[in-house]
Structure formats: C-alpha cells, structure tokens
Amino acid sequence: MRNRPREIVLGTVAILASVVVFIVPFVFIFLTAAKTPAEAAEFGFSLPIEWAIWDNLTTVLTVRNNLIVRAFVNSTVITVLSVALMVVLAAMVGYVLQRRRSRWNHVVNFFVLAGLIVPPAVVPTIWVMQGLGLFKTIPGMILIEATLGLSFCILLFRAFVSTIPKELDEAAWIDGAGPLRVFFSVVVPLLRPVMVTVVVVQAVNVFNDFTGPLYFLPGDDNATVQLTLYNFQSQTMSQWNLLFMDILLITIPPLVMYIFFNRQIVAGMTSGAVKG
Amino acid sequence: MAQAVTAPGAVAKRRSVKSIYPTWFYLPAGLLYVVLFALPTFASFYFAFTRWSLQDVEFTGWENFVTFFSEPQLRTGFINTFVYGFVTSGAKVVLGLALAVLLTSQLIGRGYLRSVVFFPVLVSAIGVGITFKVLMDPFDGLINESLSALGITGPAWLTDPQWALMSVALIDVWKGVGIATLIYIAGLAAIPQEYYEAAKVDGAGGWKAFRSITLPLVRPATATVILLSLIGGLRSFDLIWATTRGGPGFTSDVIASVIYKQYQAGFYGLSTAGNVVLFLVVTAIVVPISTLLNRREVER
C-alpha cells in the first residue's frame, strides 16, 4: 500500500518510454504501408492523407506474378517440415542423452555445443549440397534448417526430460512396450510444454531466416518471404509503401504465433533455463 | 499381462534396461548433422587453403589468409566483428537486467510492458533493418526530426562512417534485448524472496540489496545472456546486410559480411578462409568465457 504512488509513477514513465521506443516503430510500419507512394517516400510519422492500404495490399500480392503468395507457400512448407523434423529428431537425442549414461554422452554433448557455437561453413555446405543434388531445392533448404536448429532443441529437450520421472518409461517397458512405443506414447506426450516452446521459437527462426535462403536457395523460383523483401528493397526502391506492406504481411504470422502461445513459451523457456 | 505379474523381474532382466534407451535414437539427427554440418566444417579447413571455383581446386597454401589480413577492408571487418560482438553483448546484459528488474517489480502495466519488449524479437532482421533505415534517415527520418525538435542535431547514423557500425549495433540491441530480458526475468524469479526481506530487516537499501543479492544470484542468467549474445553478435550478418551492406565504404563490414561479399565475387577459397577465421574468432572468445563463467558458478 505504501508503494502505491511510486508504482504508478514508475509504471507510467515505463509505459510512455515503451511507446516511444517500441510501439512507434510498429505504428510507423503500419502507417507507411497504408500510404500512397509519394507520401510514403516522405518518411513522415503521420496519418495517411489518403488511405491506400487496400490498393497496396493487392499490388504487393499480385506484383511479379503473385511472387509474394508463392513465397508465403514456400516459407510455410519449409517452416512446417523443417520444424517437425528437427523437433522429432532432437527430442529423440535429448531423451536418450539425458536417460542413458554412456561413453557416448561426452561425444554427443560436445557436438551439440559445437553445433550451437560454430558458424556454418557456407561454400563447403553448398558444395556438399550440390554433390547430393539438394542445392537450390526446397527439400535441401528444409534439411539445412532442421540441421542448424538441432543443437538448440536438444539442449531444451535434455533439460526437460530430466523433470520426467524415469519410472514412467520403465513401467511401460516392463509392460512390454518397445523403445519407440515408450518414447512416442509415454515420453513425447509429457514433453508437450517444452515442445510448444521449441516449435514456436524455431518456427519464428526459420520463417524469419534470411541468411539461409540467401545462400542455399537463391533465385525467384523458390523465393522465401524474407528474400522477396530483400529483393523488393533493391528493385523497387522508390515504392516504400509496398516495401512496408510486405514487412507488415510477413510479420503477422510470427506475431500471431506469439500472441497465441505467449504464456507457454515463457514457461517452457524458464523450465529450460532454470534446470539447464 | 499374466506373465508380467508372475515374473516381472525376469522380464526386466531378459530385456536389458540399456535397450530401452537405444543408441540408434542418435542416428537420424547424427546423419543430418554429419552430412550437412560437420562435413562442410571439416572441408572448410581444406578449401580455405585453395583457390576454388566449385569445379576446380588449386592448393595455394596460406595465400587466402595473407590476403585476408593484408587487405585493409578485410582487416576492418575483422576488428569490427569484435567491436560489434562485445558492444551488443554488453548492452544486452546491462539493459536486459535493468528491464528485468523493472518488470519483476510492482508496477502498473507490467504484462503489457513484458510483451512489448519482446515484440521486436519476432520481426525478421530484414524487416527491422529496412524500418530503421527509414527511421534513421539523416534528413527526413523520424529519429533525427524528433531530435531536431528538441534542438539536437542528430548524427547521420547509418550513412556516417563513424556512426554506421554503432548504429547497426543499436538496432541489434533494440531487436534482441527482449530475449535477454526474458532470460533475466526467469533468473530473478528463481531468487527466494526471503533474502530481500532479510536484507530489509538488516537495513540494506535497494541498491545494496541489488549489489549483494540480485547480482550474484542471477549469475547463471548472466552467463546465458553473455554467451548467447556473443555467439549471435560475432556471427551477425543479416541485420548488417539489410541496413548498410558493410558500408559506407567498408566501415561497418564484419567477417560474416566479408564472407558473403567474397562468395558473391566468386572467390570461394577466400570466402571459406573467412569462414575459418570466423570459426576461430568465435571459439577463441566463447569457449574461454564459457568455462570461466561455469567454473565460478561451481565454486560458489
């Protein structure tokens, strides 16, 4: 009760500061996306004199043979499949790594950390992908994204598996379930909280990835959303309204995911960070 | 079922406990890792010493590394990598902790503040980069217009050679501080509230309590924030490429942008040498810091 005035003052100051620092840029994106080309080029922070949001939206979606729509499909396919792949594979590794003490543990732990720290060697990766016929293909991009995300997922899964009582898997084992059965029908359902965190974090990462597609999936045939934005920037420099409409469009999916899963992400991160 | 009831011990014994957690669970992930990550990494240590066009390879010894450190623009990129990594990491530690302390205190609008700090994390680096290129425009940008309304002449930000790298670092902090704050909030939540009450009884003020309780006890969170932001900062490419492309001139180049430029120019050997240099820089910085931070933690 004593702190009441202080809470209000401090809170108000923080809210005002947050509006200036964090809200204004987002509002700016929205307003610029709603302006006419001439007005958007003035870079002003003002309400559009003439609202062109619908025109801009249809223009952006149809420009260059619906490039953005195709890019959205590509990015969605890459995101969904690579995240599904990395989550399943990483959960398997994290589970065995935590449950079974063996001489492999040191080796695996070392490689997991190396995967987190070591920057991917770009041209040699292209060289390997060319050898396998995966360069510039969507399956190749999916495999690369899945590989590069493995380490982070394994660390979170390993930390979380330690909170699941070992007796549960052993009970299922004694009842005659095989290792796959034990894992998929006993352990995986219990991994749900951390699964949500991993899926959301990695989906946002893969969807927002720019460097990966820039190197491993160049060209317009298989464009991803981030590459369309990058290419728009170099080609349609004067049309800032379209550029910002594109930013607005490709920011919506991650934002929606976050709003839906906000609480669970924080909970999953926390369990990993505290026990990890 | 009947079997299990009559002889559970026998069943458990017959099926070795080891095979409940089979080693082959490592295989699928391991295959991807070896082929698409480990193999290219090992190969880079060979290709870094070659002139390479993906078809033809010619071994050239240390030539690429000599080029890398003798050309002024490449050397600038090397130094900038350190500056960028340490500046962004340091700023994220300080601001992240400050925001986390603020957002765990009794405060109106706490839920709103927590989400809003995290929003920029969700926007892609390219989107953030383009937005800030406009906001930081030297003449018409919102930032400089606001500053001049206050009577301050703002710098030319991304287009000023002296400011370019720091401007990108500033955007990076804006975008990434939400993660640092989240990790710190988790760390602060793990500190028992009784410690603060005891400190209050002993007459310790807010600052004293922060120095002697909060700071030492959020150490694991600090270690995580430092390591994650250093790993990200030293390898940073997309934000720099979206805002300055290493310019003006080469003033905001980092190793990762040099790698891309050499790749674009078709110097695959030199680009790979850049990769090896980046690998050495990241390991040489992150590994000692990580052992140091973890060791202190154990001693405590």
Side-chain angles (χ1 to χ4, degrees):
Chain A
M1 266 310 176
R2 209 153 31 96
N3 285 336
R4 206 88 185 122
R6 196 170 151 266
E7 279 168 34
I8 294 171
V9 172
L10 202 60
T12 315
V13 171
I15 289 170
L16 286 178
S18 77
V19 168
V20 172
V21 177
F22 291 110
I23 298 290
V24 165
F26 283 95
V27 175
F28 182 83
I29 295 174
F30 177 76
L31 290 177
T32 311
K35 286 176 179 175
T36 58
E39 212 194 337
E42 288 169 13
F43 295 172
F45 184 69
S46 57
L47 285 177
I49 301 166
E50 189 186 329
W51 286 82
I53 194 158
W54 186 249
D55 285 349
N56 291 345
L57 180 65
T58 48
T59 315
V60 161
L61 289 178
T62 51
V63 80
R64 296 183 44 211
N65 276 329
N66 308 327
L67 180 68
I68 301 239
V69 178
R70 279 182 288 137
F72 253 102
V73 174
N74 289 339
S75 281
T76 310
V77 169
I78 292 172
T79 307
V80 170
L81 294 180
S82 68
V83 171
L85 191 63
M86 81 174 102
V87 163
V88 174
L89 300 191
M92 287 165 77
V93 174
Y95 163 70
V96 176
L97 195 59
Q98 202 283 323
R99 282 292 196 250
R100 186 173 168 182
R101 306 274 160 228
S102 79
R103 59 207 147 90
W104 286 97
N105 281 32
H106 287 296
V107 184
V108 176
N109 279 326
F110 171 81
F111 281 116
V112 169
L113 288 181
L116 208 59
I117 295 171
V118 174
V122 178
V123 194
T125 308
I126 294 177
W127 172 69
V128 170
M129 290 175 82
Q130 276 189 340
L132 298 170
L134 289 172
F135 184 50
K136 287 192 189 182
T137 66
I138 289 191
M141 195 66 237
I142 292 170
L143 293 176
I144 288 280
E145 296 285 11
T147 309
L148 298 183
L150 278 176
S151 287
F152 175 82
C153 302
I154 292 174
L155 287 177
L156 281 189
F157 280 126
R158 191 187 63 183
F160 196 85
V161 167
S162 67
T163 67
I164 300 173
K166 209 174 177 174
E167 289 72 27
L168 288 178
D169 4 315
E170 278 163 5
W173 180 249
I174 287 167
D175 282 351
L180 279 175
R181 187 79 199 280
V182 172
F183 177 67
F184 281 104
S185 40
V186 178
V187 178
V188 168
L190 294 169
L191 288 176
R192 217 188 92 94
V194 74
M195 203 70 99
V196 172
T197 309
V198 169
V199 167
V200 175
V201 169
Q202 294 294 6
V204 171
N205 267 349
V206 174
F207 192 82
N208 281 347
D209 187 24
F210 165 67
T211 317
L214 181 72
Y215 278 122
F216 306 121
L217 199 60
D220 270 356
D221 299 342
N222 294 319
T224 63
V225 284
Q226 304 303 328
L227 279 190
T228 61
L229 192 52
Y230 175 68
N231 292 335
F232 272 19
Q233 188 196 6
S234 22
Q235 288 155 6
T236 48
M237 212 47 180
S238 53
Q239 289 176 286
W240 292 98
N241 54 338
L242 300 185
L243 206 51
F244 277 81
M245 177 54 82
D246 196 3
I247 297 179
L248 192 64
L249 281 181
I250 66 177
T251 306
I252 289 172
L255 220 55
V256 168
M257 269 202 118
Y258 175 73
I259 291 167
F260 264 104
F261 295 107
N262 183 4
R263 266 170 205 291
Q264 290 164 73
I265 299 172
V266 176
M269 283 282 235
T270 326
S271 72
V274 173
K275 278 148 200 143
Chain B
M1 203 58 214
Q3 247 184 349
V5 171
T6 49
V11 176
K13 220 169 257 169
R14 198 162 53 230
R15 303 170 70 197
S16 140
V17 183
K18 264 190 178 175
S19 54
I20 179 175
Y21 309 120
T23 311
W24 69 260
F25 267 36
Y26 291 147
L27 266 183
L31 186 70
L32 274 187
Y33 185 96
V34 167
V35 174
L36 292 176
F37 183 74
L39 179 64
T41 303
F42 284 117
S44 72
F45 284 91
Y46 167 68
F47 288 119
F49 293 94
T50 63
R51 190 177 296 129
W52 184 29
S53 68
L54 280 176
Q55 282 88 36
D56 306 308
V57 186
E58 185 193 336
F59 193 79
T60 54
W62 290 92
E63 198 184 286
N64 289 328
F65 292 94
V66 173
T67 316
F68 203 93
F69 287 103
S70 58
E71 294 226 10
Q73 66 256 39
L74 303 189
R75 218 163 43 208
T76 315
F78 182 73
I79 295 161
N80 282 348
T81 305
F82 290 88
V83 176
Y84 190 88
F86 284 110
V87 167
T88 52
S89 178
K92 281 174 192 172
V93 168
V94 174
L95 286 175
L97 181 55
L99 282 170
V101 169
L102 185 72
L103 296 182
T104 44
S105 66
Q106 293 300 317
L107 198 71
I108 58 163
R110 203 169 67 168
Y112 150 83
L113 286 167
R114 281 190 188 187
S115 349
V116 97
V117 168
F118 199 75
F119 272 168
V121 174
L122 304 164
V123 188
S124 70
I126 299 293
V128 169
I130 294 173
T131 307
F132 271 86
K133 242 170 110 170
V134 172
L135 292 175
M136 283 181 163
D137 188 271
F139 307 107
D140 303 326
L142 182 60
I143 294 179
N144 275 4
E145 290 217 321
S146 314
L147 285 177
S148 71
L150 296 171
I152 306 166
T153 314
W157 302 111
L158 297 162
T159 51
D160 181 335
Q162 299 229 284
W163 279 83
L165 190 69
M166 284 305 117
S167 305
V168 186
L170 191 69
I171 305 173
D172 191 321
V173 173
W174 180 85
K175 179 170 163 37
V177 77
I179 293 185
T181 310
L182 188 69
I183 297 172
Y184 269 124
I185 288 178
L188 289 177
I191 302 177
Q193 211 53 41
E194 292 81 43
Y195 292 2
Y196 293 101
E197 280 155 24
K200 212 177 212 171
V201 170
D202 289 348
W207 176 245
K208 190 94 196 285
F210 175 78
R211 288 260 331 248
S212 14
I213 301 171
T214 312
L215 217 47
L217 290 177
V218 287
R219 188 176 199 108
T222 308
T224 313
V225 172
I226 291 179
L227 290 175
L228 284 184
S229 58
L230 266 183
I231 293 171
L234 294 169
R235 292 159 47 162
S236 184
F237 167 74
D238 40 14
L239 194 60
I240 292 176
W241 198 250
T243 47
T244 65
R245 303 204 178 179
F250 303 97
T251 47
S252 63
D253 256 329
V254 292
I255 298 177
S257 66
V258 169
I259 293 173
Y260 184 67
K261 283 180 178 174
Q262 301 305 331
Y263 161 74
Q264 259 190 326
F267 299 124
Y268 296 147
L270 190 54
S271 171
T272 307
N275 247 134
V276 170
V277 172
L278 183 60
F279 168 81
L280 295 175
V281 166
V282 176
T283 5
I285 293 177
V286 171
V287 171
I289 291 183
S290 134
T291 39
L292 189 78
L293 289 171
N294 289 331
R295 189 196 306 148
R296 290 249 185 102
E297 204 181 303
V298 172
E299 275 169 16
R300 202 170 286 278

